[in-house]
Amino acid sequence: MSTTRPYPPGDRGPESGDGGASAVSGTGASPGDAPASSAGTDGSSGTGTPSGRQARRLSFDGQSGVVPLARDFARQALHAWGWLPAESADRRAAAEDVLLVVSELVTNACLHAEGPEELRIACDRKVFRVEVSDRGAGQPAPRTPHRAGRPGGHGMFIVQRLCLDWGVVRTPGVVGKTVWAELGAPA
């Protein structure tokens, strides 16, 4: 199950932004690392933090086919950040886990929360963080007991199994929530 704290220790939460979508690439990034504007971003790039953190945002406003769009967006970031093409089976598995978690969180927002509003992904040397914001009031939780042979209901169970931690953030007075999940970066 999720932790009760909204963010892991030392994390200050979602990056405050200008309200628009953007791609922010960390150290060593080039302007070509930013995804195309047709993907729902404005293509801006920046310098990241001294810790080497790299981040990107994707707005789903007016978009259709959001699950494959989110996977493609995350895959582009993984390429830009050097996770893909993978040098080893472990690195390939880590990248595939990120793509699966992105798919599960965006799918859950589609099925249970009136659709996603924004996807934010960030990576530093140790952790890959995925955040999906939506306007839903529900609380995601793995279905218990988990029944592997039954169709559906596996999304949060998968997230729980693949991730170091996950949780939900709500802002008082604001409709919706942000579901976040963190995966370990490959060594």
Side-chain angles (χ1 to χ4, degrees):
M1 189 75 181
S2 164
T3 61
T4 55
R5 58 189 160 78
Y7 304 105
D11 189 287
R12 291 179 298 224
E15 296 176 1
S16 60
D18 58 3
S22 65
V24 179
S25 300
T27 56
S30 67
D33 288 345
S37 60
S38 63
T41 65
D42 67 6
S44 64
S45 61
T47 58
T49 64
S51 67
R53 182 176 175 159
Q54 303 171 76
R56 292 190 177 193
R57 295 167 40 165
L58 172 66
S59 173
F60 293 110
D61 187 34
Q63 300 288 334
S64 61
V66 296
V67 175
L69 180 66
R71 281 183 67 91
D72 289 345
F73 175 79
R75 186 177 291 111
Q76 288 173 4
L78 290 170
H79 275 278
W81 297 342
W83 287 48
L84 291 173
E87 300 166 353
S88 67
D90 287 344
R91 290 184 69 82
R92 185 172 35 259
E96 289 172 1
D97 288 351
V98 167
L99 295 174
L100 182 54
V101 168
V102 166
S103 294
E104 292 298 339
L105 294 182
V106 173
T107 298
N108 279 354
C110 291
L111 294 174
H112 307 293
E114 303 174 31
E117 289 190 328
E118 184 176 70
L119 167 66
R120 289 179 298 280
I121 55 176
C123 180
D124 61 23
R125 291 181 188 97
K126 295 182 180 182
V127 175
F128 194 101
R129 184 172 173 109
V130 178
E131 299 178 0
V132 176
S133 297
D134 62 53
R135 299 185 62 75
Q139 182 75 10
R143 189 177 287 174
T144 55
H146 180 253
R147 295 189 174 114
R150 299 186 74 180
H154 305 290
M156 292 312 293
F157 179 78
I158 291 168
V159 169
Q160 179 177 293
R161 293 294 299 252
L162 293 178
C163 294
L164 300 170
D165 202 3
W166 70 275
V168 177
V169 177
R170 295 185 189 279
T171 304
V174 176
V175 176
K177 64 186 175 297
T178 298
V179 180
W180 60 266
E182 292 183 334
L183 298 96

